[in-house]
Amino acid sequence: MGHRKKLKAVIGILNGLTSIIKATLSTKSNTKTHTAILRATTARNPSSPPSDDRIAAVLSLGRGSRLTACAVIEALMDRLNGTKNPSVALKCLFTIHSIIKKGSFILKDQLSFYPSFGGRNFLNMSKFRQDSDPERWELASWVRWYATVIEQNFIVSRVLGHYLNSSFSSKNSKDKEDKASALLDEDLLGELDALVEFVEVICEAPDSLHLQRNNMVYAVIRYVGEDYRVVQREISIRVVELRDRMANLTFNELTRLLSSLKRFEDCRERLRLLFVNRARNDALWELTCGTKLKIIETVREMSKLKSLVKTERTDDSGELSRLRERFGVLRQLVRFNSGGR
């Protein structure tokens, strides 16, 4: 078994080198693009992420024309969807994530429109499998999860109107608070729902957390952890704003907010295991718990008020029925007396 595994690894490396050599010797205009992608996603050093230099080489291609940026994304997607090697797939996804975090706007734009406007499963990794050995089988599960995280990143970015890792995220909290305060209640609740759903997707990480000893997997967790820290700040701003508006929220809006906060709290233990307390942010959890308790108290009071109003209406209805009965008897007496006369 060990000999066969080593043989497959050697074959994968040779295939990767062959592809790079072919791309280098090719006379096509997109040679530079394909070579940069192949070097960043090589099968060599399967447990190591792409080096900073190789990621920088890919990102630099996106600073040119839209045509070049399109060629970069096409080559990267072809490489991702054409490989059966989990390590190569993880390197492709890591490169895509690097484009989201550090790439030029034109490169991000091309990525978001490939091939279905950044919709769910646009990376086409949900059926990725590799059963040749236990380690590759586990790595394949990380590929599927990582692809889902990146897809959710795009979905949240569309809801918020900016990329999670864009320059807007580096602006001071006052700018973000002003933007949140200008939103309608419905829009604010929608953004919070999307952010919490992103956290839930992060929590679906494979159970084989011991693979964080693999440098490639560790680099993936680090990148996702950076996204999660940005999401924490975004959630905090919206929870504070909605808490301040609580007196004006409807019963349905309050229950929707309560549901989002409960879902977020349900993720806490899994997040602690995944990031090993690297992104604890106890203040956010205290804010979430305090706001949730305040909502529960408000909803309880609103329920009591509704019940009281219903009771009063029932009593009023009973009194009205009794008056109608008395009026009916009186009318019969008047008719009887009139007939007797």
Side-chain angles (χ1 to χ4, degrees), residues 230-281:
V230 175
V231 167
Q232 282 183 320
R233 292 195 292 271
E234 300 285 355
I235 287 177
S236 178
I237 289 169
R238 284 153 184 79
V239 172
V240 169
E241 180 65 27
L242 286 166
R243 183 195 61 187
D244 294 342
R245 299 185 188 186
M246 198 175 296
N248 298 318
L249 296 179
T250 65
F251 184 84
N252 288 338
E253 288 171 339
L254 286 171
T255 53
R256 181 180 177 184
L257 175 56
L258 181 61
S259 175
S260 294
L261 296 180
K262 284 182 176 179
R263 286 164 50 208
F264 182 49
E265 275 198 327
D266 289 342
C267 296
R268 185 173 186 177
E269 182 60 22
R270 183 62 175 171
L271 292 167
R272 185 187 67 81
L273 292 173
L274 185 60
F275 299 120
V276 197
N277 288 328
R278 288 196 298 269
R280 285 177 53 177
N281 198 346

Side-chain angles (χ1 to χ4, degrees), residues 6-275:
K6 289 180 181 178
L7 182 60
K8 286 183 179 180
V10 171
I11 292 173
I13 292 171
L14 290 176
N15 287 337
L17 288 173
T18 301
S19 299
I20 292 174
I21 291 171
K22 284 182 179 179
T24 304
L25 296 177
S26 174
T27 57
K28 293 182 180 180
S29 59
N30 59 358
T31 297
K32 187 176 181 180
T33 298
H34 281 85
T35 302
I37 296 299
L38 289 170
R39 284 177 173 166
T41 62
T42 176
R44 297 180 64 186
N45 303 319
S47 62
S48 298
S51 67
D52 292 342
D53 290 343
R54 291 185 174 180
I55 292 294
V58 174
L59 298 181
S60 66
L61 295 171
R63 301 191 187 100
S65 67
R66 185 172 294 275
L67 188 62
T68 303
C70 181
V72 171
I73 300 305
E74 285 187 357
L76 187 52
M77 289 298 187
D78 288 345
R79 177 70 165 158
L80 174 63
N81 296 136
T83 186
K84 295 182 180 179
N85 187 324
S87 297
V88 172
L90 281 175
K91 290 183 180 183
C92 289
L93 292 171
F94 188 83
T95 305
I96 291 171
H97 205 168
S98 297
I99 290 173
I100 298 172
K101 295 170 74 66
K102 309 171 186 176
S104 64
F105 175 80
I106 190 172
L107 206 54
K108 292 178 183 178
D109 188 52
Q110 290 299 310
L111 182 59
S112 67
F113 279 85
Y114 184 96
S116 56
F117 302 96
R120 292 180 185 274
N121 196 32
F122 81 106
L123 296 176
N124 198 28
M125 288 286 106
S126 61
K127 296 181 180 179
F128 187 87
R129 297 288 187 280
Q130 180 52 263
D131 302 327
S132 59
D133 61 71
E135 183 177 347
R136 287 194 167 200
W137 182 84
E138 289 183 332
L139 280 176
S141 66
W142 283 91
V143 170
R144 296 191 299 273
W145 169 76
Y146 194 22
T148 306
V149 170
I150 292 173
E151 289 160 0
Q152 193 66 32
N153 190 312
F154 272 105
I155 292 171
V156 171
S157 296
R158 282 209 313 274
V159 172
L160 300 186
H162 64 85
Y163 289 104
L164 283 175
N165 296 280
S166 68
S167 58
F168 178 82
S169 297
S170 62
K171 292 183 178 180
N172 60 53
S173 296
K174 186 65 170 63
D175 293 331
K176 293 185 176 184
E177 290 166 6
D178 290 343
K179 179 180 179 294
S181 65
L183 292 173
L184 298 173
D185 297 339
E186 180 68 21
D187 294 335
L188 208 54
L189 287 165
E191 289 187 354
L192 182 60
D193 281 340
L195 289 163
V196 171
E197 186 175 353
F198 190 14
V199 175
E200 289 175 325
V201 168
I202 291 174
C203 290
E204 293 171 0
D207 291 329
S208 52
L209 296 180
H210 62 277
L211 280 182
Q212 288 196 50
R213 292 194 297 268
N214 179 306
N215 289 333
M216 183 67 247
V217 175
Y218 181 82
V220 167
I221 294 297
R222 178 173 57 82
Y223 256 19
V224 175
E226 290 174 0
D227 282 354
Y228 172 56
R229 279 191 287 272
V230 175
V231 167
Q232 282 183 320
R233 292 195 292 271
E234 300 285 355
I235 287 177
S236 178
I237 289 169
R238 284 153 184 79
V239 172
V240 169
E241 180 65 27
L242 286 166
R243 183 195 61 187
D244 294 342
R245 299 185 188 186
M246 198 175 296
N248 298 318
L249 296 179
T250 65
F251 184 84
N252 288 338
E253 288 171 339
L254 286 171
T255 53
R256 181 180 177 184
L257 175 56
L258 181 61
S259 175
S260 294
L261 296 180
K262 284 182 176 179
R263 286 164 50 208
F264 182 49
E265 275 198 327
D266 289 342
C267 296
R268 185 173 186 177
E269 182 60 22
R270 183 62 175 171
L271 292 167
R272 185 187 67 81
L273 292 173
L274 185 60
F275 299 120

